C-alpha cells in the first residue's frame, strides 16, 4: 500500500469481478478508500476481502446501476463510511445480445443501453452535486473501441459505448469550470469473466467472429500486462496526471503513455 491517493475516495461500479475488481484493488493499493459496488454481493465481498487483507480500505455495497434508488442508497453508504467520493469509475457493463438489427431481441438490446448509459447517468447524477460543491472530482467511464466504428451484429454493445463516449464529452465540457473532469477510456483486450463468457457463446461464434478471434489470440501474459497497464493509468488519472486529456475518448493501447516507463505504447 502507498499514500499516493490517501485523500481519494473512489466509487467503482461493476467492482465485483474483472476490470472493476482490478481497478478497485489498484486504487486501494495506491491509498484510496474504495467503495466496491455491483449487483452480485458475494463477488463484491470477495473483492473487498482481498483489499482489506492486503491492508487497504474498502467497503462493499450492492448496487443495481439501472435503478436510481439503488444507486442513491449505495452512494449514501459510501459517504457514511468514507465521506464524499471524488472519483467515480463507471465500469458496470454487459455484452448484450448479438445479431442483426431488426431481428435481435429488442428488450435485451434496450437492457444493454440501460446498464451502460442509464446506469452511468444514474451514478453521475448522484455523484455530481457533491463534486460540484467540493469543486473537485473525476469521472472515468469505461468505453470500448466498439463505440467508435460499425461493429456488425453487435449494435447493442456498440451503440451503448458510443453513447457513453458522447455522454463523457458533454459532461466534461459542461462541468470542467466547476472542477469536475470526465474521461472515456478504451481499456484494451483483457481476458475478464465477460470475455470468457463471450468465447463460450454460440451467438458470438455466429455473429462476432473477429471478436472471438481476438480473444482467442490473447495470451494470459498479454492479458495480465493489459490489466497492469490499465490499473497504472487509472491510478495516474486519479492523481490528476491526465487532466489535460479530459473530455476525450482515450485508447489505452494507442493514446496513453505507459505509467511505468513513460514511453508511448506501440
Amino acid at each position: 500500500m502507498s499514500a499516493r491517493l490517501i485523500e481519494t475516495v473512489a466509487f467503482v461500479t461493476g467492482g465485483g469481478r474483472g476490470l472493476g475488481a482490478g481497478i478497485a484493488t489498484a486504487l486501494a493499493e495506491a491509498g484510496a478508500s474504495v467503495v466496491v459496488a455491483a449487483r452480485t454481493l458475494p463477488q463484491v465481498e470477495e473483492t473487498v476481502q482481498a483489499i482489506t487483507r492486503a491492508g487497504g480500505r474498502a467497503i462493499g455495497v450492492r448496487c443495481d446501476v439501472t435503478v436510481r434508488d439503488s444507486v442513491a442508497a449505495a452512494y449514501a453508504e459510501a459517504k457514511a463510511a468514507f465521506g464524499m467520493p471524488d472519483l467515480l469509475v463507471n465500469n458496470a457493463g454487459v455484452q448484450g445480445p448479438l445479431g442483426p438489427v431488426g431481428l435481435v431481441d429488442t428488450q435485451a438490446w434496450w437492457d444493454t443501453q440501460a446498464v451502460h448509459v442509464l446506469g452511468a447517468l444514474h451514478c453521475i447524477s448522484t455523484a455530481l452535486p457533491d463534486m460540484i460543491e467540493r469543486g473537485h472530482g473525476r469521472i472515468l467511464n469505461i468505453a470500448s473501441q466498439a463505440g467508435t466504428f460499425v461493429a456488425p451484429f453487435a449494435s447493442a454493445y456498440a451503440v451503448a459505448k458510443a453513447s457513453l463516449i458522447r455522454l463523457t464529452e458533454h459532461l466534461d465540457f459542461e462541468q470542467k469550470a466547476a472542477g469536475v473532469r470526465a474521461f472515456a477510456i478504451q481499456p484494451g483486450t483483457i481476458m475478464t469473466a465477460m470475455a470468457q463468457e463471450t468465447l463460450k457463446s454460440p451467438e458470438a461464434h455466429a455473429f462476432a467472429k473477429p471478436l472471438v478471434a481476438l480473444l482467442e489470440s490473447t495470451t494470459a501474459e498479454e492479458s495480465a500486462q493489459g490489466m497492469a497497464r490499465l490499473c497504472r493509468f487509472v491510478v495516474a488519472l486519479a492523481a490528476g496526471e491526465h487532466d489535460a486529456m479530459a473530455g476525450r475518448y482515450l485508447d489505452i493501447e494507442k493514446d496513453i503513455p505507459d505509467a511505468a516507463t513513460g514511453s508511448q505504447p506501440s
Side-chain angles (χ1 to χ4, degrees):
M1 297 293 163
S2 76
R4 188 177 181 187
L5 300 179
I6 196 66
E7 296 183 356
T8 296
V9 177
F11 190 99
V12 182
T13 71
R17 65 177 190 169
L19 300 183
I23 289 169
T25 300
L27 291 169
E29 288 175 347
S33 300
V34 181
V35 181
V36 182
R39 288 183 297 184
T40 307
L41 201 54
Q43 292 178 348
V44 167
E45 292 171 344
E46 184 176 343
T47 302
V48 170
Q49 288 169 7
I51 290 172
T52 56
R53 281 197 302 267
R57 300 182 70 215
I59 64 166
V61 294
R62 188 184 183 283
C63 180
D64 182 345
V65 297
T66 68
V67 179
R68 181 66 184 269
D69 287 348
S70 179
V71 174
Y75 194 76
E77 288 187 59
K79 289 175 67 174
F82 297 135
M84 294 181 184
D86 50 6
L87 176 67
L88 168 62
V89 181
N90 281 314
N91 170 72
V94 295
Q95 176 63 58
L98 295 166
V101 172
L103 298 178
V104 73
D105 183 278
T106 55
Q107 187 60 56
W109 195 98
W110 192 246
D111 289 345
T112 306
Q113 314 312 305
V115 174
H116 290 275
V117 186
L118 179 62
L121 183 61
H122 280 160
C123 293
I124 291 166
S125 300
T126 303
L128 195 57
D130 284 341
M131 291 182 176
I132 293 172
E133 179 182 337
R134 188 173 181 176
H136 169 75
R138 295 185 179 91
I139 297 173
L140 171 59
N141 295 323
I142 301 299
S144 169
Q145 284 183 335
T148 67
F149 58 84
V150 175
F153 309 115
S155 64
Y157 186 80
V159 170
K161 290 302 188 183
S163 298
L164 186 60
I165 292 167
R166 185 50 57 92
L167 176 62
T168 304
E169 294 168 346
H170 278 266
L171 172 63
D172 187 78
F173 187 88
E174 293 170 1
Q175 298 301 337
K176 59 186 176 182
V180 180
R181 306 311 306 267
F183 307 78
I185 180 170
Q186 193 282 106
T189 304
I190 300 171
M191 293 305 297
T192 61
M194 191 166 78
Q196 296 290 353
E197 291 164 3
T198 298
L199 283 176
K200 297 175 183 177
S201 165
E203 279 187 342
H205 285 270
F207 294 115
K209 288 182 173 63
L211 174 59
V212 170
L214 174 63
L215 295 177
E216 288 179 338
S217 68
T218 302
T219 68
E221 181 180 7
E222 288 170 339
S223 180
Q225 290 172 349
M227 178 66 86
R229 182 170 60 238
L230 172 63
C231 289
R232 287 193 299 268
F233 172 63
V234 170
V235 169
L237 182 150
E241 296 176 15
H242 294 292
D243 281 358
M245 295 189 289
R248 295 167 48 193
Y249 164 81
L250 301 170
D251 187 325
I252 198 168
E253 296 174 331
K254 299 177 181 178
D255 302 327
I256 307 300
D258 188 278
T261 65
S263 63
Q264 185 76 21
S266 59

